[in-house]
C-alpha cells in the first residue's frame, strides 16, 4: 500500500490540528498520479486528441489539418451524405433514443430491419444486434461458454475477446498467433481435461497486424475435433469478400458457427452483431447479458448502418480501392526500408518496436501533416510498438503520395 507523503504512519494525530487530513479523493488522486507517472516513464501514457470536425480524409485540429490515416472509417462513409440523411430521417421518425433494452420496449422495426440486412449480407438465418462490437464479443462468449467449457483463442485476438474469455469462467487456452498446430494441441488439451464445449475464437483480419487467419484450416479443425468456431469480422466486414467479410472471401460461408462483426468501422456507425443460425440468435437474445441488460441502439445509428450496408453492396469499388491503397502504401514503405507486412485488408502496420521511437515517429509525421498514431502496449505486445496506418477509400492518390513522402523524410528517425 502506498503512503501519502504528507501523512506518514503515526503522524496523522500530530498533524491534525495544523493542516486538514487529505480527503479520500486526494488520497485516490495521489495513488493514481503515481500509477500515471509509472506509465509516462515507460512511454505508455495516452491523451485523447480532440478533433474539431468529423472523421474525414483530412482531420481538423486546433492549429493544423493533417491527413487522417488512423481511423477505421475504411470506406470513407462516416461523413457520407446518404448516411447522414438516413440518421436524420430516423431521428425525425423514431426519436433520439430507443428508451429501453431490446427485450423490454427497445426493439423497433428499424432494429429488425438492420438484423435482417446483416443476416442477408452474411448469408445466415438471422443476426443479433448489440450496442457495440465490444459488447457483442463479451455477451456472446459468456453466453456460449462457462465453467466446464473451454475457449481456444489466438494470442493476438482483440481485447473484447480476451475480456469475454476472462469473464466467462471457462478454461481459456491461448495459442501463439496463427499457429494452428498449436491451436489443435489446445483443443485436444481441452478435450482431455473434460471440457463440455470447446469454442475456437479468432479475429479474421487482426486489428493491429492486418493479417488474415487461416480460416479454411480452422474450419477443418473444428470439423475434425468437434469444436465450435467463432470468427470476429470487425475489420473484414465491408472490406473483404464484396463486403461480406473474410468468411465469404475465403469460400467458407456456412462453415463458421458464430460470425461476429461491428458497425463501427467500414459501416461508419455504431453497434456490433452476431450472425448465425436461428437457434444461436434466439439463444443469444435470451442469454447474452450485454444484449439483455443494455439499452437498444439509437434509431439514428441503426438507420445509418442500414444505409451503409446498401452502399457496401451497390458500390463494391470502395472496398477495392481501400485495399489497393493499403497495398500500395505497404509496398512503398517497404521500398523505403520500413518493416511493413503486406496487408490482407486495409490495415497497414509499420513495425517499430520501441514505444518511445514509435511516439517520436508519430510526432515527426504530424509535423509533416500526417496524423498516424503510435500503437503501444497493452494494445500490442511489449516491444512491438507500431504506427498503424489505415487509408480510407476516399483518400486521393495525391494524399497517399504525401504520406509516403512524409515517411521518406522521417526515415532517419529509426
Ligand atoms: N473486435 C475487433 C477485432 C476490434 O478491432 C474491435 C474494435 O476495435 C472490436 C471487436 C470492438 O468493436 P467496437 O469498437 O464496435 O466496440
Amino acid at each position: 500500500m502506498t503512503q501519502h507523503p504528507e501523512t506518514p504512519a503515526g503522524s496523522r494525530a500530530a498533524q491534525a490540528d495544523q493542516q486538514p487530513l487529505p480527503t479520500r479523493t486526494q488520497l485516490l488522486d495521489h495513488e493514481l498520479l503515481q500509477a500515471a507517472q509509472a506509465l509516462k516513464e515507460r512511454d505508455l501514457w495516452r491523451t485523447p486528441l480532440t478533433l474539431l470536425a468529423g472523421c474525414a480524409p483530412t482531420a481538423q485540429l486546433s492549429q493544423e489539418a493533417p491527413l487522417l490515416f488512423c481511423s477505421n472509417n475504411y470506406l470513407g462513409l462516416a461523413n457520407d451524405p446518404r448516411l447522414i440523411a438516413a440518421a436524420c430521417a430516423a431521428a425525425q421518425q423514431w426519436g433520439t433514443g430507443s428508451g429501453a433494452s431490446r427485450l423490454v420496449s427497445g426493439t423497433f422495426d428499424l432494429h429488425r430491419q438492420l438484423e435482417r440486412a446483416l443476416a442477408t449480407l452474411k448469408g445466415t438465418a438471422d443476426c443479433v444486434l448489440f450496442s457495440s462490437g465490444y459488447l457483442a464479443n463479451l455477451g456472446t462468449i459468456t453466453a456460449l461458454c462457462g465453467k466446464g467449457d473451454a475457449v481456444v483463442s489466438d494470442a493476438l485476438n482483440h481485447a473484447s475477446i480476451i475480456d469475454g474469455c476472462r469473464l466467462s469462467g471457462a478454461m481459456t487456452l491461448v495459442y501463439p498467433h496463427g499457429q494452428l498446430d498449436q491451436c489443435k494441441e489446445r483443443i485436444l488439451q481441452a478435450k482431455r481435461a473434460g471440457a463440455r464445449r470447446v469454442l475456437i475464437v479468432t479475429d479474421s483480419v487482426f486489428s493491429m497486424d492486418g493479417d488474415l487467419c487461416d480460416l479454411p484450416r480452422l474450419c477443418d479443425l473444428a470439423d475434425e475435433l468437434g469444436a465450435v468456431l467463432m470468427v470476429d469480422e470487425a475489420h473484414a466486414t465491408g472490406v473483404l469478400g464484396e463486403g461480406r467479410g473474410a468468411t465469404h472471401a475465403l469460400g467458407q460461408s456456412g462453415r463458421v458457427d458464430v460470425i461476429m462483426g461491428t458497425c463501427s468501422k467500414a459501416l461508419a456507425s455504431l453497434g456490433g452483431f452476431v450472425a448465425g443460425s436461428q437457434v444461436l440468435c434466439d439463444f443469444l437474445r435470451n442469454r447474452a447479458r450485454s444484449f439483455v441488460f443494455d439499452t437498444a441502439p439509437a434509431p439514428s445509428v441503426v438507420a445509418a448502418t442500414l444505409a451503409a450496408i446498401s452502399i457496401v453492396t451497390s458500390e463494391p469499388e470502395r472496398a477495392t480501392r481501400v485495399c489497393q491503397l493499403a497495398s500500395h502504401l505497404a509496398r512503398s514503405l517497404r521500398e523505403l526500408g520500413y518493416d511493413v507486412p503486406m496487408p490482407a485488408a486495409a490495415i497497414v502496420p509499420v513495425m517499430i518496436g520501441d514505444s518511445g521511437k514509435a511516439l517520436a515517429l508519430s510526432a515527426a509525421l504530424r509535423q509533416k501533416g500526417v496524423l498516424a498514431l503510435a500503437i503501444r502496449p497493452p494494445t500490442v505486445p511489449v516491444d512491438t510498438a507500431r504506427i498503424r496506418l489505415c487509408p480510407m477509400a476516399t483518400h486521393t492518390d495525391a494524399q497517399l503520395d504525401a504520406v509516403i513522402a512524409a515517411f521518406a523524410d522521417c526515415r532517419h528517425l529509426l
Side-chain angles (χ1 to χ4, degrees), residues 47-119:
T47 313
L49 261 182
T50 303
L51 274 64
L52 303 179
C55 184
T58 300
Q60 283 299 326
L61 305 178
S62 62
Q63 308 283 333
E64 28 172 345
L67 294 170
L68 179 56
F69 267 79
C70 52
S71 84
N72 299 310
N73 179 21
Y74 301 125
L75 303 183
L77 292 177
N79 54 6
D80 188 286
R82 292 164 290 183
L83 272 70
I84 296 167
C88 293
Q92 289 286 352
Q93 184 181 350
W94 297 96
T96 52
S98 52
S101 67
R102 291 288 305 280
L103 292 176
V104 181
S105 59
T107 295
F108 300 169
D109 181 56
L110 201 59
H111 295 96
R112 283 300 296 143
Q113 280 180 44
L114 177 54
E115 288 179 331
R116 281 193 292 269
L118 285 165

Side-chain angles (χ1 to χ4, degrees), residues 72 131-135 137 157-161 203 205-208 232-235 260-265 270-272 388:
N72 299 310
S131 293
S132 75
Y134 198 104
L135 292 174
N137 272 333
N157 278 342
H158 187 257
S160 53
I161 294 178
D203 287 9
V205 172
F206 285 85
S207 55
M208 296 298 139
D232 178 334
E233 295 261 49
H235 297 277
M260 176 271 168
T262 135
C263 311
S264 61
K265 305 192 190 304
L270 197 61
R388 178 180 181 270

Side-chain angles (χ1 to χ4, degrees), residues 160-380:
S160 53
I161 294 178
I162 297 170
D163 292 353
C165 293
R166 287 179 181 160
L167 198 60
S168 72
M171 177 196 323
T172 300
L173 301 167
V174 177
Y175 59 93
H177 176 52
Q179 294 187 24
L180 297 196
D181 46 343
Q182 294 291 317
C183 170
K184 181 173 182 174
E185 264 311 305
R186 304 293 190 280
I187 301 169
L188 292 171
Q189 187 184 338
K191 296 258 169 190
R192 280 196 300 273
R196 267 188 320 247
R197 175 178 295 141
V198 179
L199 177 74
I200 311 169
V201 59
T202 181
D203 287 9
S204 63
V205 172
F206 285 85
S207 55
M208 296 298 139
D209 290 66
D211 58 335
L212 195 57
C213 71
D214 184 347
L215 201 49
R217 249 188 95 198
L218 280 165
C219 291
D220 290 346
L221 269 184
D223 286 347
E224 181 192 335
L225 301 175
V228 177
L229 180 59
M230 172 168 172
V231 174
D232 178 334
E233 295 261 49
H235 297 277
T237 299
V239 178
L240 296 182
E242 290 136 31
R244 301 176 70 184
T247 304
H248 183 74
L250 297 172
Q252 304 303 306
S253 300
R255 297 192 75 200
V256 177
D257 307 292
V258 186
I259 301 177
M260 176 271 168
T262 135
C263 311
S264 61
K265 305 192 190 304
L267 301 182
S269 179
L270 197 61
F273 60 88
V274 170
S277 73
Q278 193 62 60
V279 173
L280 171 76
C281 293
D282 290 341
F283 180 79
L284 292 179
R285 289 189 183 100
N286 280 269
R287 301 300 294 164
R289 292 172 64 83
S290 58
F291 176 89
V292 176
F293 297 106
D294 193 31
T295 297
S300 52
V301 300
V302 176
T305 312
L306 269 166
I309 292 171
S310 109
I311 295 172
V312 161
T313 40
S314 63
E315 297 177 11
E317 62 276 11
R318 284 177 180 265
T320 308
R321 172 154 177 89
V322 75
C323 291
Q324 280 169 351
L325 291 183
S327 297
H328 179 62
L329 200 48
R331 263 195 308 275
S332 306
L333 298 186
R334 283 156 80 111
E335 278 164 20
L336 290 173
Y338 285 95
D339 176 7
V340 184
M342 282 310 288
I347 300 164
V348 183
V350 182
M351 308 304 288
I352 307 296
D354 177 68
S355 293
K357 272 191 181 170
L359 280 175
L361 177 57
S362 171
L365 289 166
R366 187 160 159 193
Q367 292 274 324
K368 302 206 170 290
V370 177
L371 189 60
L373 297 195
I375 308 288
R376 293 162 282 158
T379 309
V380 292

Side-chain angles (χ1 to χ4, degrees), residues 133-147:
Y134 198 104
L135 292 174
N137 272 333
L138 218 61
T140 303
I141 295 170
T142 51
L144 293 180
C145 293
K147 216 164 175 291

Side-chain angles (χ1 to χ4, degrees), residues 31-44:
E31 286 176 15
L32 298 183
L33 280 171
Q34 283 187 326
Q37 186 54 31
L39 285 173
K40 285 176 187 168
E41 280 163 15
R42 289 187 292 143
D43 289 319
L44 297 180

